[in-house]
Amino acid sequence: MKTTFAAALLASLAYAFDDGVWSGHDWFNEDEGVGVKNGVPYGQDPETQRRVDSATLQSGPGVQNKDKKNVRMIMEVFGEEDFEHLFPVHDKLYTYEAFIVAAGLYPKFCAEGDPSLGLTEAEICKRELSTLFSHVIYETNGGEPDHHEYFRQGLKHIKDHHCGKYPKYPPFDGPPECNFHSHGWSAKTWPPFEHAQYYARGPLMMKWNYNYGRFADAVYPGYPKDKMNIMMNPENLESGILGFLSALWIYMTPRSPMPSMHEIATGFYKPNEHDELSQIFPAFGATTNVFNGNKECNVEFGTESDAAYHRAQ
């Protein structure tokens, strides 16, 4: 399930800075066919460039997003009424408008698909929305069977409702399973702050300091003060737009050596021989493998966990 270093690496470097922190740090990897010029990643061939573009978060005022091609497609196949029907118990911060604004910052979401699928643009967009929301529903489910069907209880929680009850400031007196401060190289690259708690937040329940750090790199490339704000105050993800944006970042970004969930849903991912021997195919189950496969896939070879089953239910 291998993807190139190029696609997995630098979606966060989305903007050029003539006199900024990336000036004078251009490089090119000939083996991978990818490089960075003045902070902007690029691919040597069209397919590598497509992968880089797909995972790149764009900037721009949210009010302009409704003019973007992918947002128009989303609004055509999944309107606000559909959103309210699917998520009748959603937290007040998770609005349709917040989702639309966040989606517009990933222009390739709901806007591309491999021709081999034989699907229309609308069908591909529905496939993407179904894939993303299936994981969102599982991660944020209200778990109240007397109110609505299971699949209509998503977006109930904006954070881990167990870990979120403990105070923000040290000393942290929560249980060990709520402490997501890493060690080793990841802690050196994205140092956790003592007072900050990086437990699960957002529609896909992002956790760990290194994921908050990578997300901050993608949202605020070249703006260290803004990136530091997320690292110092991870509770900022307890919001509508930034929360949805964190979910889309997880969905659109490859995890080397694996492809992104977007690559799988849109048909661009092609299993290699090792994938096929491991029974990994370009279907919904492969997105679970990318998202949380170390815990949910191959409990016993050829079987699935209860969690993996409920994601696809």
Side-chain angles (χ1 to χ4, degrees), residues 91 93-94 157-160 163-164 197 199-203 212 233-244 246:
D91 186 273
L93 294 175
Y94 288 147
H157 304 292
I158 62 172
K159 60 184 176 181
D160 185 310
C163 298
Q197 297 305 324
Y199 51 71
R201 295 180 176 90
Y212 279 81
N233 303 285
E235 62 274 11
N236 286 349
L237 259 70
E238 297 171 24
S239 66
I241 296 175
L242 202 58
F244 276 124
S246 72

mmCIF file of all heavy atoms in Angstrom, residues 91 93-94 157-160 163-164 197 199-203 212 233-244 246:
data_model
loop_
_atom_site.group_PDB
_atom_site.id
_atom_site.type_symbol
_atom_site.label_atom_id
_atom_site.label_comp_id
_atom_site.label_asym_id
_atom_site.label_seq_id
_atom_site.Cartn_x
_atom_site.Cartn_y
_atom_site.Cartn_z
ATOM 1 N N ASP A 91 -23.448 18.872 17.000
ATOM 2 C CA ASP A 91 -23.106 19.980 17.884
ATOM 3 C C ASP A 91 -23.359 21.299 17.153
ATOM 4 O O ASP A 91 -23.196 21.387 15.929
ATOM 5 C CB ASP A 91 -21.632 19.874 18.300
ATOM 6 C CG ASP A 91 -21.241 20.911 19.341
ATOM 7 O OD1 ASP A 91 -20.864 22.036 18.940
ATOM 8 O OD2 ASP A 91 -21.333 20.610 20.535
ATOM 9 N N LEU A 93 -21.695 23.837 16.829
ATOM 10 C CA LEU A 93 -20.543 24.386 16.115
ATOM 11 C C LEU A 93 -20.367 23.742 14.734
ATOM 12 O O LEU A 93 -19.781 24.345 13.837
ATOM 13 C CB LEU A 93 -19.264 24.188 16.930
ATOM 14 C CG LEU A 93 -19.179 24.955 18.247
ATOM 15 C CD1 LEU A 93 -17.919 24.563 19.011
ATOM 16 C CD2 LEU A 93 -19.178 26.462 17.990
ATOM 17 N N TYR A 94 -20.866 22.530 14.586
ATOM 18 C CA TYR A 94 -20.707 21.810 13.325
ATOM 19 C C TYR A 94 -21.877 22.127 12.396
ATOM 20 O O TYR A 94 -22.838 21.367 12.286
ATOM 21 C CB TYR A 94 -20.629 20.303 13.573
ATOM 22 C CG TYR A 94 -19.336 19.849 14.196
ATOM 23 C CD1 TYR A 94 -19.313 18.765 15.068
ATOM 24 C CD2 TYR A 94 -18.130 20.479 13.912
ATOM 25 C CE1 TYR A 94 -18.128 18.322 15.634
ATOM 26 C CE2 TYR A 94 -16.946 20.051 14.477
ATOM 27 C CZ TYR A 94 -16.946 18.973 15.333
ATOM 28 O OH TYR A 94 -15.770 18.540 15.894
ATOM 29 N N HIS A 157 -20.193 14.967 19.128
ATOM 30 C CA HIS A 157 -19.108 15.383 20.025
ATOM 31 C C HIS A 157 -18.045 16.170 19.264
ATOM 32 O O HIS A 157 -17.656 15.800 18.157
ATOM 33 C CB HIS A 157 -18.459 14.161 20.680
ATOM 34 C CG HIS A 157 -19.431 13.297 21.426
ATOM 35 N ND1 HIS A 157 -20.063 13.715 22.574
ATOM 36 C CD2 HIS A 157 -19.887 12.041 21.173
ATOM 37 C CE1 HIS A 157 -20.868 12.757 23.010
ATOM 38 N NE2 HIS A 157 -20.784 11.734 22.178
ATOM 39 N N ILE A 158 -17.556 17.238 19.878
ATOM 40 C CA ILE A 158 -16.470 18.013 19.276
ATOM 41 C C ILE A 158 -15.116 17.609 19.851
ATOM 42 O O ILE A 158 -14.075 18.032 19.350
ATOM 43 C CB ILE A 158 -16.678 19.529 19.481
ATOM 44 C CG1 ILE A 158 -16.670 19.883 20.970
ATOM 45 C CG2 ILE A 158 -17.964 19.981 18.812
ATOM 46 C CD1 ILE A 158 -16.677 21.378 21.235
ATOM 47 N N LYS A 159 -15.126 16.795 20.903
ATOM 48 C CA LYS A 159 -13.887 16.325 21.517
ATOM 49 C C LYS A 159 -14.178 15.029 22.256
ATOM 50 O O LYS A 159 -15.346 14.641 22.421
ATOM 51 C CB LYS A 159 -13.332 17.363 22.492
ATOM 52 C CG LYS A 159 -14.277 17.706 23.642
ATOM 53 C CD LYS A 159 -13.699 18.804 24.520
ATOM 54 C CE LYS A 159 -14.695 19.212 25.614
ATOM 55 N NZ LYS A 159 -14.148 20.308 26.456
ATOM 56 N N ASP A 160 -13.128 14.362 22.679
ATOM 57 C CA ASP A 160 -13.278 13.156 23.482
ATOM 58 C C ASP A 160 -14.006 13.526 24.768
ATOM 59 O O ASP A 160 -13.477 14.253 25.606
ATOM 60 C CB ASP A 160 -11.896 12.575 23.789
ATOM 61 C CG ASP A 160 -11.966 11.239 24.514
ATOM 62 O OD1 ASP A 160 -12.697 11.149 25.525
ATOM 63 O OD2 ASP A 160 -11.274 10.301 24.095
ATOM 64 N N CYS A 163 -11.914 12.424 28.030
ATOM 65 C CA CYS A 163 -10.701 13.182 28.347
ATOM 66 C C CYS A 163 -10.978 14.669 28.509
ATOM 67 O O CYS A 163 -10.276 15.366 29.250
ATOM 68 C CB CYS A 163 -9.655 12.977 27.253
ATOM 69 S SG CYS A 163 -9.096 11.267 27.064
ATOM 70 N N GLY A 164 -11.992 15.169 27.815
ATOM 71 C CA GLY A 164 -12.261 16.594 27.827
ATOM 72 C C GLY A 164 -12.751 17.149 29.145
ATOM 73 O O GLY A 164 -12.824 18.365 29.318
ATOM 74 N N GLN A 197 -3.196 19.797 26.185
ATOM 75 C CA GLN A 197 -3.630 18.406 26.118
ATOM 76 C C GLN A 197 -4.087 18.085 24.693
ATOM 77 O O GLN A 197 -5.019 18.697 24.184
ATOM 78 C CB GLN A 197 -4.754 18.148 27.122
ATOM 79 C CG GLN A 197 -4.334 18.344 28.570
ATOM 80 C CD GLN A 197 -3.121 17.502 28.950
ATOM 81 O OE1 GLN A 197 -2.978 16.371 28.489
ATOM 82 N NE2 GLN A 197 -2.246 18.050 29.777
ATOM 83 N N TYR A 199 -5.563 15.516 23.303
ATOM 84 C CA TYR A 199 -6.491 14.401 23.143
ATOM 85 C C TYR A 199 -7.377 14.651 21.929
ATOM 86 O O TYR A 199 -7.280 15.676 21.255
ATOM 87 C CB TYR A 199 -7.311 14.173 24.411
ATOM 88 C CG TYR A 199 -8.006 15.389 24.969
ATOM 89 C CD1 TYR A 199 -9.103 15.956 24.329
ATOM 90 C CD2 TYR A 199 -7.571 15.967 26.162
ATOM 91 C CE1 TYR A 199 -9.743 17.060 24.844
ATOM 92 C CE2 TYR A 199 -8.210 17.077 26.692
ATOM 93 C CZ TYR A 199 -9.295 17.618 26.035
ATOM 94 O OH TYR A 199 -9.935 18.713 26.545
ATOM 95 N N ALA A 200 -8.251 13.696 21.642
ATOM 96 C CA ALA A 200 -9.002 13.698 20.389
ATOM 97 C C ALA A 200 -9.981 14.863 20.298
ATOM 98 O O ALA A 200 -10.780 15.093 21.203
ATOM 99 C CB ALA A 200 -9.743 12.377 20.237
ATOM 100 N N ARG A 201 -9.904 15.556 19.168
ATOM 101 C CA ARG A 201 -10.827 16.657 18.868
ATOM 102 C C ARG A 201 -11.153 16.645 17.382
ATOM 103 O O ARG A 201 -10.383 16.142 16.566
ATOM 104 C CB ARG A 201 -10.208 18.012 19.230
ATOM 105 C CG ARG A 201 -9.933 18.232 20.714
ATOM 106 C CD ARG A 201 -9.319 19.610 20.933
ATOM 107 N NE ARG A 201 -9.116 19.927 22.338
ATOM 108 C CZ ARG A 201 -8.003 19.639 23.016
ATOM 109 N NH1 ARG A 201 -7.005 19.010 22.408
ATOM 110 N NH2 ARG A 201 -7.893 19.974 24.286
ATOM 111 N N GLY A 202 -12.288 17.244 17.043
ATOM 112 C CA GLY A 202 -12.666 17.383 15.645
ATOM 113 C C GLY A 202 -13.499 16.213 15.141
ATOM 114 O O GLY A 202 -13.634 15.187 15.807
ATOM 115 N N PRO A 203 -14.073 16.339 13.949
ATOM 116 C CA PRO A 203 -14.935 15.292 13.388
ATOM 117 C C PRO A 203 -14.246 13.947 13.192
ATOM 118 O O PRO A 203 -14.913 12.914 13.148
ATOM 119 C CB PRO A 203 -15.371 15.887 12.046
ATOM 120 C CG PRO A 203 -15.308 17.359 12.257
ATOM 121 C CD PRO A 203 -14.101 17.567 13.120
ATOM 122 N N TYR A 212 -1.265 17.413 15.703
ATOM 123 C CA TYR A 212 -1.610 18.829 15.822
ATOM 124 C C TYR A 212 -0.535 19.678 15.147
ATOM 125 O O TYR A 212 -0.829 20.678 14.486
ATOM 126 C CB TYR A 212 -1.746 19.227 17.293
ATOM 127 C CG TYR A 212 -3.074 18.873 17.921
ATOM 128 C CD1 TYR A 212 -3.335 17.582 18.371
ATOM 129 C CD2 TYR A 212 -4.074 19.829 18.071
ATOM 130 C CE1 TYR A 212 -4.548 17.250 18.957
ATOM 131 C CE2 TYR A 212 -5.294 19.515 18.654
ATOM 132 C CZ TYR A 212 -5.528 18.220 19.095
ATOM 133 O OH TYR A 212 -6.736 17.901 19.665
ATOM 134 N N ASN A 233 -2.538 25.982 22.187
ATOM 135 C CA ASN A 233 -3.968 25.970 22.507
ATOM 136 C C ASN A 233 -4.699 24.981 21.599
ATOM 137 O O ASN A 233 -5.483 25.380 20.727
ATOM 138 C CB ASN A 233 -4.559 27.375 22.340
ATOM 139 C CG ASN A 233 -3.847 28.412 23.180
ATOM 140 O OD1 ASN A 233 -4.030 28.478 24.390
ATOM 141 N ND2 ASN A 233 -3.016 29.226 22.533
ATOM 142 N N PRO A 234 -4.457 23.687 21.769
ATOM 143 C CA PRO A 234 -5.095 22.704 20.888
ATOM 144 C C PRO A 234 -6.615 22.711 20.972
ATOM 145 O O PRO A 234 -7.283 22.227 20.060
ATOM 146 C CB PRO A 234 -4.516 21.369 21.373
ATOM 147 C CG PRO A 234 -4.039 21.624 22.768
ATOM 148 C CD PRO A 234 -3.581 23.049 22.772
ATOM 149 N N GLU A 235 -7.158 23.306 22.042
ATOM 150 C CA GLU A 235 -8.615 23.395 22.153
ATOM 151 C C GLU A 235 -9.211 24.296 21.072
ATOM 152 O O GLU A 235 -10.441 24.345 20.905
ATOM 153 C CB GLU A 235 -9.026 23.895 23.540
ATOM 154 C CG GLU A 235 -8.548 25.279 23.896
ATOM 155 C CD GLU A 235 -7.151 25.306 24.499
ATOM 156 O OE1 GLU A 235 -6.447 24.274 24.458
ATOM 157 O OE2 GLU A 235 -6.769 26.373 25.020
ATOM 158 N N ASN A 236 -8.364 25.005 20.312
ATOM 159 C CA ASN A 236 -8.868 25.797 19.188
ATOM 160 C C ASN A 236 -9.572 24.929 18.152
ATOM 161 O O ASN A 236 -10.376 25.426 17.356
ATOM 162 C CB ASN A 236 -7.725 26.562 18.516
ATOM 163 C CG ASN A 236 -7.247 27.745 19.345
ATOM 164 O OD1 ASN A 236 -7.888 28.119 20.326
ATOM 165 N ND2 ASN A 236 -6.125 28.327 18.973
ATOM 166 N N LEU A 237 -9.256 23.624 18.150
ATOM 167 C CA LEU A 237 -9.921 22.724 17.216
ATOM 168 C C LEU A 237 -11.367 22.460 17.611
ATOM 169 O O LEU A 237 -12.116 21.864 16.836
ATOM 170 C CB LEU A 237 -9.169 21.390 17.118
ATOM 171 C CG LEU A 237 -8.281 21.255 15.874
ATOM 172 C CD1 LEU A 237 -7.084 22.185 15.999
ATOM 173 C CD2 LEU A 237 -7.827 19.827 15.682
ATOM 174 N N GLU A 238 -11.756 22.889 18.786
ATOM 175 C CA GLU A 238 -13.139 22.730 19.218
ATOM 176 C C GLU A 238 -13.981 23.847 18.606
ATOM 177 O O GLU A 238 -14.580 24.673 19.287
ATOM 178 C CB GLU A 238 -13.215 22.740 20.746
ATOM 179 C CG GLU A 238 -12.460 21.580 21.391
ATOM 180 C CD GLU A 238 -12.347 21.712 22.898
ATOM 181 O OE1 GLU A 238 -13.189 22.413 23.505
ATOM 182 O OE2 GLU A 238 -11.404 21.135 23.474
ATOM 183 N N SER A 239 -13.978 23.877 17.288
ATOM 184 C CA SER A 239 -14.705 24.897 16.535
ATOM 185 C C SER A 239 -15.203 24.282 15.243
ATOM 186 O O SER A 239 -14.823 23.161 14.891
ATOM 187 C CB SER A 239 -13.791 26.093 16.234
ATOM 188 O OG SER A 239 -12.742 25.703 15.357
ATOM 189 N N GLY A 240 -16.043 25.000 14.541
ATOM 190 C CA GLY A 240 -16.640 24.456 13.336
ATOM 191 C C GLY A 240 -15.687 24.359 12.163
ATOM 192 O O GLY A 240 -15.355 23.269 11.695
ATOM 193 N N ILE A 241 -15.204 25.497 11.670
ATOM 194 C CA ILE A 241 -14.374 25.496 10.469
ATOM 195 C C ILE A 241 -13.056 24.776 10.705
ATOM 196 O O ILE A 241 -12.666 23.892 9.931
ATOM 197 C CB ILE A 241 -14.119 26.940 9.991
ATOM 198 C CG1 ILE A 241 -15.437 27.599 9.562
ATOM 199 C CG2 ILE A 241 -13.125 26.949 8.828
ATOM 200 C CD1 ILE A 241 -15.309 29.063 9.200
ATOM 201 N N LEU A 242 -12.340 25.122 11.769
ATOM 202 C CA LEU A 242 -11.048 24.492 12.024
ATOM 203 C C LEU A 242 -11.220 23.006 12.335
ATOM 204 O O LEU A 242 -10.377 22.182 11.968
ATOM 205 C CB LEU A 242 -10.334 25.196 13.177
ATOM 206 C CG LEU A 242 -8.812 25.031 13.239
ATOM 207 C CD1 LEU A 242 -8.158 25.535 11.959
ATOM 208 C CD2 LEU A 242 -8.237 25.761 14.443
ATOM 209 N N GLY A 243 -12.316 22.657 12.983
ATOM 210 C CA GLY A 243 -12.581 21.249 13.253
ATOM 211 C C GLY A 243 -12.780 20.463 11.967
ATOM 212 O O GLY A 243 -12.156 19.419 11.750
ATOM 213 N N PHE A 244 -13.656 20.956 11.083
ATOM 214 C CA PHE A 244 -13.870 20.286 9.801
ATOM 215 C C PHE A 244 -12.586 20.270 8.972
ATOM 216 O O PHE A 244 -12.305 19.298 8.262
ATOM 217 C CB PHE A 244 -14.985 20.972 9.018
ATOM 218 C CG PHE A 244 -16.366 20.522 9.390
ATOM 219 C CD1 PHE A 244 -17.322 21.442 9.807
ATOM 220 C CD2 PHE A 244 -16.720 19.184 9.321
ATOM 221 C CE1 PHE A 244 -18.605 21.028 10.154
ATOM 222 C CE2 PHE A 244 -18.004 18.760 9.660
ATOM 223 C CZ PHE A 244 -18.948 19.683 10.083
ATOM 224 N N SER A 246 -9.563 20.053 10.090
ATOM 225 C CA SER A 246 -8.687 18.992 10.599
ATOM 226 C C SER A 246 -9.117 17.635 10.052
ATOM 227 O O SER A 246 -8.271 16.783 9.738
ATOM 228 C CB SER A 246 -8.694 18.979 12.133
ATOM 229 O OG SER A 246 -9.917 18.484 12.660
#
